[in-house]
Amino acid sequence: MGRRASLRKVGIGFMLVLLVGWPLYRIYGYLSDTRETQDASVLLYQVAQFQIELLNSSLAKVSGAGDTGELDALRLSAYSANYTHERLVQAVGEGKLAPLHSLEQLVSSVLRLQIGGKRALRPEEKEALGQADKLFKDIYEGYGKLLSSAGKPISSQNDKLSKVDAELSELLKKRLLR
């Protein structure tokens, strides 16, 4: 009978540890909340990548545009990419991930072109949009390598992206926002 009693005590002890330990472990997981936040950042990055891909596609199609009415898809995709990237910067940390000012300027540029209503695009406007497309391809390629699989920014890619963003911003300021 002594052996059964000791097995019963061990079983009860194990059940008590399990009943108390498991909730404590879950509470600790909720309070630390690191894994879930990291996963959310990675998911937001994937959404931002998709928006950048859509913008790249829209910008490539604009080279054949004849009038300002054909720039609607570009304006919407630039706005969406800008909005998503801003949220990603907030989620990852403003000091860790650079904002893309060229996206906001692209939205402003398209709005400026469309503000007078539907009209034919001038050759210099088409040329500027073509140059913007070429520069944006570098942003598109670099954006895919911006975060590691763990959701941490890769500083070398962030720096490259910032440089191309500055070039694109300068082009848009000089050519379309004058």
Side-chain angles (χ1 to χ4, degrees):
M1 212 173 348
R3 184 176 165 114
R4 276 190 174 174
S6 65
L7 281 176
R8 189 177 306 161
K9 287 181 184 180
V10 169
I12 291 173
F14 178 73
M15 292 300 282
L16 283 174
V17 167
L18 188 64
L19 288 172
V20 171
W22 180 252
L24 289 176
Y25 174 75
R26 296 299 296 173
I27 289 171
Y28 172 76
Y30 287 126
L31 293 176
S32 66
D33 201 29
T34 55
R35 187 174 155 261
E36 288 81 6
T37 303
Q38 182 180 2
D39 289 346
S41 295
V42 171
L43 292 173
L44 185 56
Y45 172 61
Q46 291 172 352
V47 172
Q49 270 186 298
F50 177 70
Q51 295 298 329
I52 293 292
E53 186 175 343
L54 287 175
L55 179 55
N56 184 50
S57 176
S58 295
L59 201 50
K61 290 176 185 174
V62 162
S63 62
D67 62 49
T68 57
E70 296 177 48
L71 300 178
D72 286 338
L74 174 62
R75 180 176 38 90
L76 291 173
S77 60
Y79 176 80
S80 179
N82 182 46
Y83 182 85
T84 308
H85 182 73
E86 284 177 351
R87 296 313 174 269
L88 179 63
V89 169
Q90 290 174 353
V92 172
E94 294 196 27
K96 297 177 183 176
L97 197 59
L100 294 177
H101 300 291
S102 62
L103 297 179
E104 186 177 333
Q105 289 177 342
L106 185 59
V107 173
S108 297
S109 298
V110 173
L111 281 171
R112 186 170 187 276
L113 290 173
Q114 291 181 323
I115 210 155
K118 189 174 178 179
R119 65 165 177 82
L121 286 170
R122 295 189 296 259
E124 62 269 11
E125 294 168 341
K126 284 184 180 183
E127 181 185 344
L129 288 170
Q131 289 174 347
D133 178 37
K134 289 177 186 172
L135 281 172
F136 192 78
K137 294 226 183 295
D138 292 337
I139 290 177
Y140 169 65
E141 290 173 9
Y143 206 86
K145 304 169 193 169
L146 188 58
L147 293 185
S148 68
S149 59
K152 304 292 182 200
I154 300 172
S155 62
S156 61
Q157 279 304 124
N158 193 29
D159 293 342
K160 288 179 187 178
L161 212 57
S162 291
K163 288 178 185 176
V164 177
D165 178 59
E167 287 179 49
L168 183 55
S169 290
E170 193 63 30
L171 170 80
L172 292 170
K173 282 180 189 175
K174 286 183 178 178
R175 302 287 306 273
L176 294 175
L177 288 174
R178 44 186 158 98

